[in-house]
Amino acid sequence: MASKQESVYQIFSFQDCKSSPDPIFELPAQCLTPEPVPIVIDNGSFQTRAGWAAPAAEFESPLLLFRSVAARSRGAARSETQIGNDIPNLEPLRWLLKSQFDRNVAVNFEIQELMFDYVFTHLGISSEGSVAHPIVLTEAPCNPLHCRQMMSELLFECYRVPHVSYGVDSLYSFYHNNTRRKLQPPHTGIVLSSGFHCSHILPVINGRFDAVNCKRVNVAGSQAASYLQRLLQLKYPGHLAAITLSRVEELLHEHSYTAVDYHEELEKWRSPEFYEREVHRMQLPFSGKVPGGCVSVEERQERRAQQLRRLQEINARRREEKLLQDQERLDRLMAVQELLEDGLLDQFHKSLVELNMDSAEELQSYINKLQLAVEQGRQKLLHSDGAEGKPEVSELEQPMDEGDGVALMDPDFPEDTLPEKPANVVQPVFNMAEYHQLFVGTERLRCPEILFQPSPTGEDQMGLMETLQYVLARYTPEQQEALVSNVFLTGGNMQYPGMKERVERELLAMRPFQSHFKVTIASRPALDAWYGARDWALEHPLSGEGGAAEGWISRQEYEEKGGEYLSEHCASNVFIPMKIAKPVPARPTEPSVTTLTSTGASAAVTTVTSALAPSSSTAATDVSMVTS
């Protein structure tokens, strides 16, 4: 019965995968002729993916996949920075890791430049001073204009790229999967995207992103990993150092799942049979040597003999060092005494002061003591070298000037300090392997659940489905029907088993009775953003005469319209130019105008502003005219 019960256990080992450096590829000839092929970069906050937008079969998948982190010690040169897969193990350098992102928005462009250098170098681009290939780059939904301006400035000014196209990663994934499902454009639907730092709800109406009604939830994969690490470290305080963030991420990716009904699933875990069947025992690495284990009598005696020899060697070495020190001090004192015998009284008294002595009698007393100590030390060395067995240790072996604790390491320790137990006594066996196991039970579903209920992590905000309901309420019933007919799940944090079923159950409770909806999940939630950007680049080639097609920003447009300019397309953000109000030049006022009372001026301003409806710019003009 016991063997049958033990066979149900699921014991897993941590893979602790070490990344290997990416190879430096050669630049393919077909990527240069007849025109330079675009480079597709999915600039994700967890992982960066880069490759060529070429129709050849060898370029159908990204060539580079690496973590979006850089490690550089303080004061180190730029060339000493380790990026992505150049770091075999992230844990020793965790405190040095830097990213270009603040949540999901790129703000650290020094690190971003290092990422671009890494990508271009490993793709085989060796041209000095410029990159002749167009760039397709992903950005965050509703990316701030300043961040896009800095990114365009980096690409156009530093790398001198000819064209750039920006798009939202989850919209690229939406575009790619709709194309694969043979849906006719323009597409309408709502995208639920969850990545590493935050999650988004992105409505798409008639093929265009509705940026006004999109929402962000600041709960995603990094919060789930931190929550799981906190739970396990509280559960196993003896293994704090072993529960690293890398292993926690492995637990999330390989062993976690989303409960369709959270409370019902928790009730199942109350059953001991269910717990033993579903709990995952994660085996931590450990050493098989158990201190104080079963050791034979011969091995114990051999260990004692080795310890005895080691202590004897240490004592002999210390005696030699003490003898040399006493001999050097004796020689020095004898040299001072010779000064007295030679009649050099001035030098003799000066030497006595340096030795902190008062008279020749005190000097002679120290000389006699040192001569006795040196003679005894030599006798003991000869005795310890020639004698067999344990040497006798007297009090004179201890140093006179320093308590270095030689007596504590003396070989004269009693032989019966480790009493031997009878052979017939059964000693309890300590299971070292079981002590180093992490029992991951309800944590498997509690951590993915924070996407729907963020409150356990301390986040004071709505969950993903509650936010979806809030977004849908901003549309008419007809638009809601169109949106929920194509609910699309994408992002690396949507890969938990049961995620699609959970969203369907939540929508069933949210939508009106007998209403229809359809939920689909990306075929590769973490990679489809890159594949969608590649498909878009292949279907929207640049014109041959250097002019920019739809979605592409040329260098000339960058110089004319500014770095924040965005050429919109089906997977891009909405470009809302920032209007900067120009100050109206002040005109000299006439004395007669200044006699207007403040009450009259304010009444005139109120009349004008209340009658204005067209725009704020005309309102400002009219107000300035009345006040002047």
Side-chain angles (χ1 to χ4, degrees), residues 467-477 480 483 510-511:
T467 309
L468 173 62
Q469 185 176 9
Y470 173 78
V471 170
L472 289 175
R474 301 168 70 95
Y475 293 96
T476 63
Q480 292 182 22
L483 288 172
M510 181 191 309
R511 297 296 298 154

Side-chain angles (χ1 to χ4, degrees), residues 553-564:
I553 306 170
S554 65
R555 182 174 182 81
Q556 182 180 0
E557 288 177 327
Y558 161 74
E559 293 173 350
E560 292 177 356
K561 302 178 182 179
E564 68 274 7

Side-chain angles (χ1 to χ4, degrees), residues 258-260 449 452 498-506:
T258 303
V260 178
E449 183 64 23
F452 303 95
M499 180 63 73
K500 178 183 175 183
E501 291 76 10
R502 174 63 179 271
V503 174
E504 288 176 342
R505 183 181 181 278
E506 296 281 349

Side-chain angles (χ1 to χ4, degrees), residues 258-316:
T258 303
V260 178
D261 189 327
Y262 180 63
H263 297 287
E264 181 182 344
E265 192 73 15
L266 284 180
E267 288 296 325
K268 292 180 182 178
W269 281 91
R270 292 180 180 273
S271 169
E273 294 79 11
F274 184 87
Y275 179 87
E276 292 295 336
R277 186 174 67 252
E278 296 296 330
V279 68
H280 284 197
R281 298 187 177 198
M282 303 304 301
Q283 184 67 62
L284 293 171
F286 67 97
S287 175
K289 295 181 180 179
V290 182
C294 299
V295 182
S296 63
V297 178
E298 294 78 8
E299 291 179 354
R300 189 174 302 172
Q301 291 178 352
E302 179 63 25
R303 290 181 184 177
R304 286 180 177 175
Q306 291 178 0
Q307 186 179 12
L308 178 61
R309 287 194 296 269
R310 187 164 59 252
L311 291 176
Q312 288 176 348
E313 293 172 359
I314 293 174
N315 278 336

Side-chain angles (χ1 to χ4, degrees), residues 375-487:
E375 184 64 26
Q376 289 179 350
R378 289 174 179 170
Q379 292 295 332
K380 289 186 179 296
L381 279 179
L382 293 174
H383 178 71
S384 62
D385 291 341
E388 296 181 358
K390 296 181 293 181
E392 296 181 359
V393 181
S394 64
E395 296 179 358
L396 294 176
E397 288 183 28
Q398 300 183 6
M400 295 192 307
D401 299 332
E402 58 200 24
D404 54 356
V406 176
L408 297 176
M409 305 178 66
D410 200 274
D412 290 338
F413 59 90
E415 287 290 338
D416 56 350
T417 54
L418 298 175
E420 299 177 6
K421 297 182 179 180
N424 57 357
V425 176
V426 178
Q427 299 181 5
V429 179
F430 181 70
N431 192 340
M432 202 70 173
E434 187 172 350
Y435 174 73
H436 286 84
Q437 286 178 2
L438 306 180
F439 286 63
V440 185
T442 57
E443 294 86 2
R444 295 177 56 201
L445 65 147
R446 289 173 64 187
C447 296
E449 183 64 23
I450 69 169
L451 190 61
F452 303 95
Q453 302 181 48
S455 56
T457 63
E459 293 285 347
D460 187 15
Q461 56 183 326
M462 294 188 293
L464 188 67
M465 298 309 296
E466 193 175 356
T467 309
L468 173 62
Q469 185 176 9
Y470 173 78
V471 170
L472 289 175
R474 301 168 70 95
Y475 293 96
T476 63
E478 294 77 13
Q479 290 175 324
Q480 292 182 22
E481 288 291 335
L483 288 172
V484 298
S485 64
N486 189 7
V487 179

